[in-house]
Amino acid sequence: MFQGIRSYLQSTTKAAPLAAFRILFGLLMFVSLIRFALNGWIEKLYIEPKFFFHYYGFEFVKPLGNFTYLIFFICAIASLGVALGYKYRLSIIVFFLSFTYIELMDLTTYLNHYYFISIISFVMIFLPANAYFSYDAYKNPRRAFEYVPNWTIDVIKLLLSIVYFYAGLAKLNSDWIIYAMPLSIWLPSAYDLPFLGEFLQQRWLIYLFSWSGAVYDLSIPFLLFYKKTRWYAFFLVIVFHLLTGALFPIGMFPYIMIAASTIFFESKWHQKAINYLAGLLKISLEKFDNALKKTESFSMVSRLKLSFLGLFLLLQLLFPFRYLAYPGELFWTEEGYRFSWRVMLMEKAANAQFKISEPQSGIEFYVDNSKFLSGFQEKQMSGQPDMILQYAHFLKAHYEKQGMKNVEVYADVFVALNGRKSKRYISPEIDLSKINDSFAHKNWILKFDDEISGF
């Protein structure tokens, strides 16, 4: 078996797919970042709010006031460097660090596709994506290779397959399959969508969307891998992502997934695209088409790199199942929900009121959340226990800074999950300021008293 693994790691293929992926990835990230800035979202999401929610263990990552623009600027420049293959290793490292910093600045803005960008860019640090049709290879012939190890392309295919397949597994639950939730809530609201709007009121179409979405996610990686179904699968990728892009506000994600899926095609298609681009830019491919192969040396550094990437992939396979370590209903407690490719599976309508109490003086009052949180932050916080806890601690610190002593914070939270009746989420008798966040089960969340079967 080890000989087989070694032979696979030594095998090579044309570098054109990796180069094309690098160019598409870099350009799409540049467009995404510019779009984010032009829409005023840096100001609205990272500068205007008075309080920011953090990821557990990353409390030190915060927006930097007006310098937050600088982080976006650095990230955008780095993405251009990636696309051009200019000082590629430095560019992709800077991109990964700056993008991940942006992602971690406020838990409110968590999205699966931000996480996807972070892990893809992290893996790209270890790939020779500048070996072909890059500035680095053009200026330094020693870095130019027409062929790269097979695994450097397969690792991207594997990460994409994990995203799709795990998203499909997550849809195999009773809410999605039997009750077509939450699409039964979301789709009818798109009544004003041209042509489709009228049909989106039909129950049969909502169920069709639910079931076909699960089948699509579960099967598309295999259809993309298989040569005979690849073009049909890519057509489905385009239709699926353009449709979801029209129905839901998910930004550049559809275009990122469409572009990324081209990595499954044979190298001749990427070569044709690069030939066309080179002709358009009047760049000779002579320096790149050198028949040289970049192979694994199996030096100590190479072995460490491959071992590390192997462990990283194993982590990606196992990490989404960490929710099994927690009791209770995942959709209710959300313990282990993030970073597991659970895409658009829940609709939580929640309301959270916080009561401040100073026992010594007998002072009690309710907090106007809008004084501290944006509307978006309040909406996201109200149904997510770790954010509720963070906000309670913030309120305690804020009012003690104002002169109150031994402040206690109580929350009265009601949540309606996927169309169910609204239910109390947390006991209003618990002083949240005395509870510290951790990876342990949050036993202060009230029971769901219902069942959602499946993954």
Side-chain angles (χ1 to χ4, degrees), residues 29 75 94-103 114 117-118:
M29 291 304 100
C75 194
V94 171
F95 176 83
F96 163 70
L97 291 175
S98 55
F99 187 89
T100 304
Y101 190 95
I102 291 168
E103 181 188 358
Y114 290 166
I117 297 302
S118 279

Side-chain angles (χ1 to χ4, degrees), residues 137-158:
Y138 183 80
K139 296 298 288 185
N140 186 350
R142 288 180 301 176
R143 293 182 177 177
F145 295 92
E146 190 177 351
Y147 295 85
V148 293
N150 258 314
W151 72 262
T152 61
I153 295 171
D154 289 344
V155 70
I156 297 174
K157 294 178 184 176
L158 179 59

Side-chain angles (χ1 to χ4, degrees), residues 98-114:
S98 55
F99 187 89
T100 304
Y101 190 95
I102 291 168
E103 181 188 358
L104 294 175
M105 284 194 301
D106 189 3
L107 178 57
T108 311
T109 59
Y110 169 80
L111 284 174
N112 280 285
H113 74 263
Y114 290 166

Side-chain angles (χ1 to χ4, degrees), residues 37-105:
L38 292 178
N39 279 315
W41 293 335
I42 300 175
E43 180 81 16
K44 184 178 179 181
L45 296 176
Y46 299 118
I47 295 179
E48 288 180 355
K50 297 173 183 174
F51 171 72
F52 296 96
F53 294 92
H54 59 260
Y55 289 82
Y56 183 70
F58 290 91
E59 295 83 354
F60 59 93
V61 181
K62 298 176 180 175
L64 304 176
N66 287 329
F67 285 105
T68 306
Y69 282 101
L70 182 61
I71 302 173
F72 275 83
F73 178 74
I74 290 171
C75 194
I77 294 300
S79 66
L80 275 185
V82 171
L84 295 170
Y86 175 73
K87 296 188 183 299
Y88 170 74
R89 201 72 66 192
L90 176 64
S91 293
I92 192 65
I93 289 173
V94 171
F95 176 83
F96 163 70
L97 291 175
S98 55
F99 187 89
T100 304
Y101 190 95
I102 291 168
E103 181 188 358
L104 294 175
M105 284 194 301

Side-chain angles (χ1 to χ4, degrees), residues 327-431:
E329 170 50 50
L330 170 63
F331 286 9
W332 186 248
T333 66
E334 297 199 34
E335 292 175 313
Y337 189 87
R338 300 189 192 102
F339 310 113
S340 59
W341 312 119
R342 297 180 180 276
V343 185
M344 304 185 76
L345 298 177
M346 288 195 303
E347 170 61 30
K348 270 186 173 178
N351 179 271
Q353 282 192 315
F354 289 80
K355 185 175 74 175
I356 304 299
S357 173
E358 189 185 50
Q360 293 92 327
S361 64
I363 293 175
E364 289 187 348
F365 60 90
Y366 285 92
V367 176
D368 179 359
N369 294 329
S370 66
K371 286 185 177 178
F372 305 105
L373 304 177
S374 67
F376 180 53
Q377 285 180 311
E378 183 175 2
K379 181 177 184 295
Q380 295 295 94
M381 175 274 296
S382 298
Q384 301 186 53
D386 54 348
M387 296 176 76
I388 290 171
L389 192 60
Q390 282 184 39
Y391 185 50
H393 280 257
F394 162 76
L395 292 174
K396 177 182 172 65
H398 172 78
Y399 285 108
E400 287 187 343
K401 196 175 179 181
Q402 299 295 312
M404 295 179 70
K405 294 179 180 177
N406 302 318
V407 167
E408 297 176 352
V409 184
Y410 302 89
D412 202 6
V413 183
F414 283 83
V415 174
L417 173 61
N418 281 350
R420 293 175 176 82
K421 289 182 179 177
S422 183
K423 294 174 59 176
R424 180 164 270 141
Y425 195 56
I426 295 171
S427 170
E429 308 300 322
I430 294 178
D431 178 8

Side-chain angles (χ1 to χ4, degrees), residues 233-283:
F234 188 63
F235 175 72
L236 289 176
V237 168
I238 293 173
V239 171
F240 177 84
H241 285 295
L242 289 184
L243 189 57
T244 54
L247 291 171
F248 307 110
I250 48 179
M252 294 290 290
F253 183 63
Y255 309 105
I256 292 168
M257 293 306 282
I258 291 171
S261 297
T262 61
I263 193 78
F264 287 90
F265 281 105
E266 293 172 83
S267 60
K268 64 181 180 183
W269 298 105
H270 303 90
Q271 192 65 63
K272 284 182 180 178
I274 288 176
N275 290 349
Y276 176 78
L277 183 60
L280 203 64
L281 299 175
K282 302 188 184 308
I283 298 173

Side-chain angles (χ1 to χ4, degrees), residues 115-127:
Y115 176 50
F116 173 70
I117 297 302
S118 279
I119 63 170
I120 280 284
S121 58
F122 176 73
V123 168
M124 287 176 71
I125 292 172
F126 302 94
L127 306 183

